[in-house]
Amino acid sequence: MMRRLYTFIYILLLTATAAAYADKDTKPRKVHGKATLILSENDNMTLIEAKRECVKRARYEAIKEAFGESLSSTTNIVEGTVNGTDISNFVEETTLSAKAEWVEDTKEPVVKYDSDGERIVFTAEVWGMARPITSAAIELDWKVLCGGTADSDESDEFRHKERIYIKFRAPVSGFLAIYLLDSTNKEASCLLPYKHNVMGRHEVMGGKDYIFFDKESDPRAIPYCLTTSMPLEMDQVVLIFSPNKFTKCNEITGDRRHPNSLSIDDFEAWLKRLKQQDDDMVVDRNKWIKIYNKQ
């Protein structure tokens, strides 16, 4: 009887150890996926935005196929009396989220589209590497502000030579970098840390609101204006945060009027190495901006 008990405990320990080891397995895995997006005449989305959204959906499908998705449900029940009338409100929120994150493309996404006169059907196919999400990501609160520093100035549309600001808040202290990716010139510009920061990292305090690129809130700040030589340019703002120290990548020093920069390929390679070394790192690249130059 005693022997069986010990055997049972030993099996439990082996199972627990194996499960713990599996949870720590964060090695990237090859994934492949496809998605379709239908754009009608009433949709307020440009062809470039539709293409990007279709690729995004294809990446999600690739991750879901390889790792699955998690389902969470929250139920809120509110009961009370208003003006003598009993009320009861029942709300159930269901959220689907991927169990992994996209690491990199291993092959350039292929996007095709066809039109029947009333709508455009996009199809995207992607190949890449994704890794499991083993812990909840740090939630960041940040906004892109156009022309001013108030919350009401939040926008993704800029005029040529208009000022950009970023409002930021993190729940924990850490280190931050902000890059602007110009897909036309294949260039990544380092907006933060500022070029005069010889440490190569910008430290932020948890629970504090920041307005970056604004000399009124930070005399050491460097103000930036967004410019373009084209009628319309679309750029991506990439925000990188970690509670652990990291140093920005090697860049070409810009002149007095321009931030330091490097090629997008070199930037992506640097960012890939960073993410592989730091499981706590958060990379938010979901904000795109449009710059109009109406001559």
Side-chain angles (χ1 to χ4, degrees):
M1 184 69 177
M2 186 65 69
R3 182 180 299 173
R4 290 181 181 176
L5 178 60
Y6 281 132
T7 304
F8 179 64
I9 293 174
Y10 180 66
I11 292 172
L12 282 179
L13 288 174
L14 282 178
T15 305
T17 303
Y21 180 81
D23 288 342
K24 293 181 180 179
D25 183 11
T26 60
K27 293 181 180 179
R29 187 188 307 174
K30 287 185 179 181
V31 294
H32 168 249
K34 297 180 181 180
T36 301
L37 174 67
I38 300 176
L39 188 67
S40 66
E41 294 180 346
N42 298 325
D43 289 327
N44 186 23
M45 184 181 291
T46 67
L47 295 180
I48 295 176
E49 290 172 326
K51 177 181 176 181
R52 188 173 70 243
E53 176 63 23
C54 196
V55 170
K56 181 179 177 181
R57 294 184 183 185
R59 287 173 177 163
Y60 186 90
E61 290 298 321
I63 288 173
K64 186 174 69 172
E65 179 69 23
F67 298 93
E69 58 186 0
S70 58
L71 174 67
S72 61
S73 180
T74 303
T75 302
N76 297 315
I77 301 176
V78 179
E79 295 180 339
T81 302
V82 178
N83 296 330
T85 302
D86 293 334
I87 62 169
S88 179
N89 188 24
F90 176 86
V91 178
E92 184 174 28
E93 297 179 353
T94 301
T95 304
L96 283 173
S97 58
K99 290 184 176 181
E101 63 179 347
W102 194 265
V103 175
E104 64 171 329
D105 292 329
T106 55
K107 181 179 177 181
E108 192 72 18
V110 174
V111 182
K112 300 178 181 179
Y113 64 91
D114 191 18
S115 174
D116 60 7
E118 297 183 354
R119 61 180 190 172
I120 303 175
V121 179
F122 288 83
T123 57
E125 187 172 7
V126 297
W127 300 262
M129 302 291 290
R131 67 175 180 182
I133 297 174
T134 58
S135 60
I138 299 171
E139 293 189 5
L140 305 175
D141 182 10
W142 66 291
K143 298 179 175 69
V144 176
L145 306 177
C146 174
T149 59
D151 285 353
S152 57
D153 294 314
E154 182 177 9
S155 177
D156 62 354
E157 296 186 353
F158 289 77
R159 296 188 302 272
H160 177 61
K161 294 185 178 182
E162 196 161 22
R163 285 278 179 86
I164 181 175
Y165 304 93
I166 288 183
K167 184 175 182 179
F168 174 84
R169 182 185 180 94
V172 296
S173 298
F175 301 87
L176 180 68
I178 302 174
Y179 284 81
L180 183 69
L181 272 56
D182 179 353
S183 57
T184 302
N185 297 316
K186 302 295 183 181
E187 184 178 78
S189 298
C190 179
L191 305 184
L192 194 78
Y194 298 121
K195 57 168 48 178
H196 53 64
N197 183 338
V198 295
M199 297 298 294
R201 61 176 67 98
H202 191 95
E203 188 171 3
V204 293
M205 302 299 294
K208 180 179 178 180
D209 288 323
Y210 291 87
I211 301 291
F212 294 117
F213 323 137
D214 176 36
K215 280 188 170 293
E216 289 190 10
S217 59
D218 180 4
R220 301 167 299 173
I222 296 178
Y224 296 112
C225 294
L226 297 181
T227 62
T228 181
S229 59
M230 301 182 296
L232 172 62
E233 179 179 323
M234 294 188 66
D235 294 342
Q236 185 182 31
V237 182
V238 181
L239 186 143
I240 306 164
F241 174 83
S242 177
N244 310 308
K245 287 184 179 180
F246 69 92
T247 305
K248 69 175 185 177
C249 49
N250 286 316
E251 304 151 351
I252 299 172
T253 303
D255 58 27
R256 184 178 60 86
R257 300 176 56 190
H258 297 89
N260 297 347
S261 62
L262 72 162
S263 72
I264 287 184
D265 288 341
D266 288 343
F267 169 79
E268 296 292 356
W270 165 77
L271 187 56
K272 176 187 173 182
R273 292 193 298 270
L274 271 189
K275 292 178 66 178
Q276 289 175 341
Q277 298 166 3
D278 187 354
D279 290 338
D280 297 322
M281 178 166 284
V282 177
V283 179
D284 191 336
R285 53 197 314 161
N286 291 322
K287 285 184 170 56
W288 288 76
I289 56 176
K290 306 171 189 174
I291 310 170
Y292 294 93
N293 188 0
K294 298 179 180 179
Q295 300 176 348

